[in-house]
Amino acid sequence: MRTAAELKFGEKVIINDVDTEHPSSRRIMEIGFTPGQEIELINISAFNDPMAFSVRGTIIALRRNEAHCIKIM
Amino acid sequence: MYKNYVDTSADTFPLITLVGPPNSGKTTLFNYLSGKKLKTVNYPGSTVDYSVCRIQEKYNINANLLDSPGIISLIPGSPDEQVAVSSLYAHPKFGVPDIVITTIDASQLSRHLLLTKQLLESGFRVVVVLTMTDILKKKGLQVSASRLKAELNAPVFVVDGRTGEGIPQLMNKIGKLLKKDQLNTDRKISAITEKKDFLKFYGEIEKIENKVLVPDPDKKKIAKANRKLRILTDPSAKKDCYKIDSTTVKIDKYLLNKNWGLFFFFIIMSLTFSSIFWLAQPLMNLVDSFFGMMNVMFSGLLGTTWYSDLISNGLISGTGAVLVFVPQIAMLFLILGLLEDSGYLARGAMLVDKPLSRIGLNGKSFVPMLSGFACAIPAMMAARTIPNRKERLLTIFILPLMSCSARLPVYALLIAFIIPPENSFAGGVVLASIYLFGIISSILIAGLINKFRDKIIKAEDNSSFILELPAYRLPKMKVVVHNAFISTKLYLRKAGPIILAFSLIIWLLTYFPNYNPEIDAKDLSKVEYVKLQETERLSGSYAAMLGKFIQPVMEPIGMDWRVGVSLISAFAAREVFVSSLALIFKVTDDDDTHLQNSIISAMRNARVESSGEKLFTTATIAGLIVFFIFALQCISTIAVSRKETGGWRIPVLQVVIFTSLAFCMTFITVNGLRFIGIQ
Ligand SMILES: Nc1nc2c(ncn2[C@@H]2O[C@H](COP(=O)(O)OP(=O)(O)O)[C@@H](O)[C@H]2O)c(=O)[nH]1
Ligand SMILES: [Mg+2]
């Protein structure tokens, strides 16, 4: 399964699952990344990390390893 | 000055606590209701401590209002969130709130409802305040307060804390609620941690969202009649509220660009620091000539008596020498304020996250580091937003290396010694380089300590960077100028008395015992005679006696006891260094109407007593700048460091490491420069 870290610019996808093994997963869900939500990759910072996604009408920056726990279809 | 406002006169009044997600308008509402002027910033995490204040009398409500740092759920993830959650459940002084006002950014409805639902389920008496409805309106939408009220079974009000719209209705309801007794004061913690609970919660929230989001009436008129009262049940219409600000995305295409992002970051930071110097110059000249004139006037008026010397030397030169540089401090506050209000800070944090995480810091260290350029004390408190303890402690550790505003007068004077004031471009560049040097040193030190510490502390905390990037907006000049003015005023109120007191102390130490040295006056002109007499007096003064102790330490770094006395007095406040130089080198000998010029020419004429060589040269000035970059000469910083790190270990290490480093680096700079032929 692909993860949000592998998204391309402009590609809109629906979150399928969030990997709860990752210690940041609770915060990721709290801030709005829940299964069923649409997300889009907005920006990738210099050094390829962190990445910024749009979710629920806002932009959230996450580290690449944290984006990996957001599974997409 | 940097203590949060806590009015402790009446803690028996009912307590109303403001909680809500970061950047949802809590502090704005708090300021409106309390009449206070706490800082609001376009960065998630600008409030890091609670503040309590009585609600203004005109609302006829006798209650305390508490503002808290932003939280997104009832499970805290960092120390600032811990402050907010503790003030909800077990505030040490005020107990459990009678009413909780929770702010919801209407344009972020679904995300912000999560906390509201948790609060309701935990049994708090909640009043919901919808903010930022103007932003939602731009998307053609509106939240129906009556529907939301029915869904949540809690009062809901649309409020704009900037204009006061909706405040009367809100306060009316709160007045009524306070008259009723609370049914129970038991509060559980309804905090969801499991994925299935999140799904359930968000499922309910999305249902509510579909019911309460309605088209804005202004837009409705344009729309077809049959769509007039339709609730937004079709997903395509709901998507309107999930649209992100397109201007923000466009700007970010440049400022967060993979290749150019760091370049823009560097340009923005350099402009920030160099423009302090450029912009302040005209204002500075004005203040400068004012004090110069005062000086000439008073010494002319009072003649050569001890009280004339006290007034013109002790008071006017001593304090004026520092006040001349206050415009630069005001500019620093102004420029940092502009940056804070624009929304760029969160981007800066994102850009530097990767490199900083390599050396044991975090992208979230960026904002504390930047505010460290104003003052280390609020900066250390701002480090509370860093979730990982190790990263937070390391950030606090290096914060004293950010050149704070108290160092600005020192740098400005020393730069003016090397570079003529006409050339303010070069001055700005030098100042920016000093800041850069401080930053680079702090990064090297952080890297070193990080390597070293990994061996000592094995505990691995989860290192994380999750940050909301707020929409860009044009800074509101009026607010930013006002904030800079208040900060400058507070700065003067805090530093002013210390500078004044120490100017007097140094004057006393240099003027007394004031014996009349016997001088062979035969071959001397009147002017030369007075000069010589003063030199003799100074070397017999109490200050000189004290100075003899430190002379051996000062010699290796090319200074003498006079600089040593000034460096020691800088431990009271760094700016006192400037006053002290002005006093010890007797700037009033000169008739120059510019105070700064007379200090500098007095410094140029100063000679090392033993060898007769020039005391202030390019090498020793550079050495002094380096000393001030490293030395931790601030008692309040040490106290706050102890409080924020929870022990003496870190502040003691900071004092020892930074002060010895200052001495060593100064030694290397002065002697290194001399070695390569730069005097
Ligand atoms: N457009 C708009 N901006 C607002 C409103 N209320 C507050 N703000 C701004 O939103 C930003 C965040 O507000 P603040 O009170 O600091 O939020 P806090 O983090 O919850 O304390 C500030 O820059 C405010 O000026 C509002 O109703 N509409
Ligand atoms: Mg706030």
Side-chain angles (χ1 to χ4, degrees):
Chain A
M1 197 186 282
R2 281 170 76 206
T3 70
E6 298 151 34
L7 270 181
K8 292 188 198 70
F9 281 112
E11 195 184 354
K12 288 186 178 142
V13 291
I14 308 282
I15 301 175
N16 193 22
D17 196 10
V18 176
D19 174 13
T20 48
E21 295 292 299
H22 196 286
S24 300
S25 64
R26 201 196 72 231
R27 189 34 65 106
I28 286 172
M29 289 189 283
E30 280 173 346
I31 210 159
F33 293 95
T34 49
Q37 278 303 312
E38 188 185 73
I39 55 167
E40 183 186 340
L41 175 66
I42 302 288
N43 258 303
I44 300 181
S45 175
F47 313 106
N48 263 326
D49 197 11
M51 318 170 78
F53 299 94
S54 83
V55 62
R56 294 177 188 267
T58 189
I59 308 173
I60 309 274
L62 300 175
R63 287 207 183 136
R64 191 168 276 273
N65 76 48
E66 291 169 319
H68 263 305
C69 70
I70 303 171
K71 311 284 180 203
I72 55 174
M73 294 197 207
Chain B
M1 147 183 197
Y2 292 105
K3 285 258 167 60
N4 265 297
Y5 190 86
V6 179
D7 182 354
T8 49
S9 61
D11 41 12
T12 51
F13 288 114
L15 177 69
I16 302 170
T17 297
L18 267 165
V19 288
N23 244 7
S24 59
K26 294 176 296 300
T27 305
T28 311
L29 185 59
F30 177 86
N31 286 348
Y32 194 91
L33 292 176
S34 64
K36 290 283 171 291
K37 294 253 159 44
L38 301 186
K39 213 162 130 191
T40 60
V41 164
N42 191 16
Y43 176 77
S46 51
T47 311
V48 290
D49 207 351
Y50 69 84
S51 336
V52 182
C53 191
R54 283 288 297 284
I55 289 180
Q56 282 188 83
E57 259 171 39
K58 61 180 174 201
Y59 299 112
N60 269 326
I61 291 174
N62 277 328
N64 287 319
L65 186 66
L66 186 145
D67 184 26
S68 64
I71 47 175
I72 60 173
S73 90
L74 288 177
I75 307 175
S78 52
D80 62 323
E81 295 178 353
Q82 182 65 56
V83 168
V85 175
S86 316
S87 63
L88 269 176
Y89 285 95
H91 194 279
K93 195 167 173 72
F94 300 95
V96 180
D98 297 274
I99 293 178
V100 171
I101 298 182
T102 180
T103 46
I104 294 181
D105 174 346
S107 66
Q108 300 284 320
L109 192 61
S110 77
R111 296 190 325 114
H112 287 189
L113 271 174
L114 186 72
L115 177 68
T116 310
K117 288 209 62 148
Q118 287 186 7
L119 288 168
L120 285 165
E121 293 220 335
S122 306
F124 289 102
R125 189 147 69 165
V126 179
V127 175
V128 178
V129 163
L130 283 168
T131 61
M132 322 264 178
T133 45
D134 52 315
I135 296 175
L136 189 62
K137 207 169 180 157
K138 286 199 192 112
K139 298 179 178 175
L141 293 168
Q142 193 189 25
V143 174
S144 157
S146 56
R147 281 189 187 143
L148 188 58
K149 181 179 168 202
E151 290 295 326
L152 295 174
N153 197 18
V156 177
F157 296 92
V158 173
V159 169
D160 189 328
R162 299 170 308 168
T163 59
E165 206 184 305
I167 297 271
Q169 294 88 321
L170 171 70
M171 295 321 275
N172 191 5
K173 180 72 189 176
I174 285 179
K176 278 187 197 146
L177 280 179
L178 283 177
K179 289 205 184 84
K180 282 191 218 159
D181 277 336
Q182 258 180 307
L183 293 177
N184 65 45
T185 47
D186 262 5
R187 302 285 181 270
K188 53 178 183 143
I189 299 188
S190 157
I192 44 173
T193 50
E194 299 295 321
K195 186 161 61 183
K196 62 176 200 310
D197 297 331
F198 274 111
L199 273 174
K200 183 176 145 275
F201 248 76
Y202 266 121
E204 290 169 16
I205 286 170
E206 276 149 29
K207 271 197 207 108
I208 297 176
E209 198 186 15
N210 287 337
K211 284 183 195 159
V212 302
L213 270 180
V214 293
D216 185 55
D218 299 345
K219 284 265 166 100
K220 235 166 36 181
K221 279 177 216 148
I222 317 162
K224 282 180 193 160
N226 64 350
R227 284 190 53 182
K228 236 181 202 171
L229 284 167
R230 219 172 96 202
I231 302 163
L232 287 176
T233 40
D234 68 307
S236 68
K238 192 185 126 185
K239 262 192 192 159
D240 280 356
C241 81
Y242 282 179
K243 252 193 222 138
I244 47 175
D245 185 31
S246 58
T247 325
T248 297
V249 175
K250 269 183 214 143
I251 299 176
D252 273 345
K253 282 276 170 281
Y254 295 95
L255 294 186
L256 284 181
N257 185 289
K258 227 167 139 176
N259 307 312
W260 292 97
L262 276 185
F263 172 75
F264 282 121
F265 177 78
F266 189 75
I267 297 280
I268 291 174
M269 289 300 122
S270 334
L271 274 180
T272 300
F273 294 125
S274 44
S275 58
I276 296 170
F277 208 88
W278 303 334
L279 295 176
Q281 204 64 43
L283 214 63
M284 212 187 100
N285 289 344
L286 215 72
V287 184
D288 195 9
S289 38
F290 171 75
F291 279 106
M293 251 167 48
M294 290 269 285
N295 222 340
V296 173
M297 200 178 83
F298 272 99
S299 47
L301 218 65
L302 300 174
T304 47
T305 50
W306 68 269
Y307 51 87
S308 149
D309 199 74
L310 170 66
I311 289 173
S312 58
N313 255 324
L315 296 180
I316 300 175
S317 300
T319 53
V322 179
L323 292 184
V324 164
F325 299 106
V326 165
Q328 272 158 332
I329 292 171
M331 280 304 145
L332 173 79
F333 290 144
L334 187 75
I335 291 165
L336 287 183
L338 285 176
L339 213 53
E340 285 170 343
D341 215 32
S342 67
Y344 185 70
L345 291 191
R347 273 78 184 178
M350 181 179 171
L351 279 167
V352 297
D353 178 59
K354 186 78 183 181
L356 287 190
S357 64
R358 281 279 165 79
I359 51 168
L361 300 172
N362 187 296
K364 289 188 181 173
S365 309
F366 171 67
V367 171
M369 282 165 80
L370 194 67
S371 49
F373 290 109
C375 176
I377 292 163
M380 284 183 173
M381 293 177 65
R384 289 178 185 179
T385 54
I386 304 168
N388 180 304
R389 185 173 156 81
K390 243 167 132 182
E391 293 171 343
R392 190 167 65 90
L393 293 184
L394 193 54
T395 305
I396 292 178
F397 192 91
I398 57 148
L399 277 175
L401 287 180
M402 305 297 121
S403 282
C404 64
S405 54
R407 277 174 254 193
L408 207 43
V410 179
Y411 293 151
L413 178 71
L414 298 178
I415 290 174
F417 185 87
I418 320 180
I419 292 165
E422 306 86 67
N423 196 349
S424 71
F425 177 77
V429 172
V430 173
L431 186 66
S433 322
I434 291 176
Y435 281 111
L436 190 69
F437 184 73
I439 297 169
I440 293 173
S441 313
S442 73
I443 284 171
L444 290 178
I445 290 173
L448 268 175
I449 291 179
N450 188 40
K451 274 227 169 88
F452 188 59
R453 254 184 13 160
D454 274 347
K455 294 199 179 86
I456 306 168
I457 305 170
K458 287 272 192 281
E460 256 324 310
D461 222 346
N462 172 40
S463 171
S464 152
F465 180 82
I466 304 177
L467 187 66
E468 193 181 339
L469 305 181
Y472 285 110
R473 58 159 187 236
L474 267 181
K476 283 183 290 296
M477 262 333 251
K478 209 183 119 196
V479 179
V480 175
V481 170
H482 180 83
N483 281 342
F485 177 76
I486 293 199
S487 304
T488 311
K489 210 171 78 183
L490 282 172
Y491 168 85
L492 281 177
R493 202 180 289 161
K494 191 187 115 196
I498 301 178
I499 295 166
L500 190 67
F502 271 81
S503 297
L504 283 181
I505 292 174
I506 294 165
W507 178 82
L508 285 172
L509 288 179
T510 50
Y511 194 81
F512 290 103
N514 192 25
Y515 72 107
N516 268 321
E518 276 177 34
I519 293 170
D520 187 5
K522 249 188 278 162
D523 311 319
L524 294 174
S525 72
K526 178 90 172 101
V527 177
E528 279 171 323
Y529 177 80
V530 172
K531 272 241 152 85
L532 194 59
Q533 191 183 28
E534 274 186 350
T535 314
E536 286 293 310
R537 250 187 214 164
L538 182 66
S539 53
S541 71
Y542 292 126
M545 290 176 210
L546 287 173
K548 295 275 143 49
F549 285 108
I550 41 176
Q551 180 86 357
V553 191
M554 300 314 293
E555 257 163 27
I557 54 174
M559 324 278 173
D560 70 354
W561 68 267
R562 291 173 292 183
V563 182
V565 167
S566 306
L567 282 180
I568 287 177
S569 55
F571 274 88
R574 289 175 171 106
E575 310 88 326
V576 173
F577 180 75
V578 174
S579 316
S580 176
L581 284 188
L583 280 166
I584 291 180
F585 294 98
K586 294 275 176 195
V587 300
T588 40
D589 292 352
D590 223 280
D591 276 341
D592 203 312
T593 49
H594 280 80
L595 185 57
Q596 201 194 343
N597 284 352
S598 23
I599 301 177
I600 286 171
S601 63
M603 282 166 69
R604 280 197 209 291
N605 294 330
R607 289 178 186 276
V608 179
E609 274 165 9
S610 51
S611 61
E613 280 170 35
K614 279 218 158 95
L615 176 57
F616 295 103
T617 60
T618 310
T620 53
I621 291 287
L624 280 173
I625 292 178
V626 168
F627 186 89
F628 274 90
I629 290 175
F630 287 102
L632 176 45
Q633 298 161 292
C634 176
I635 290 156
S636 327
T637 303
I638 298 168
V640 173
S641 170
R642 198 208 79 86
K643 182 161 167 275
E644 294 294 311
T645 61
W648 279 112
R649 212 171 67 95
I650 287 182
V652 167
L653 276 176
Q654 282 174 312
V655 175
V656 172
I657 291 181
F658 289 140
T659 309
S660 45
L661 204 57
F663 188 80
C664 296
M665 292 303 284
T666 310
F667 180 81
I668 294 171
T669 309
V670 174
N671 293 298
L673 283 176
R674 285 188 176 159
F675 184 75
I676 59 168
I678 297 173
Q679 279 305 310

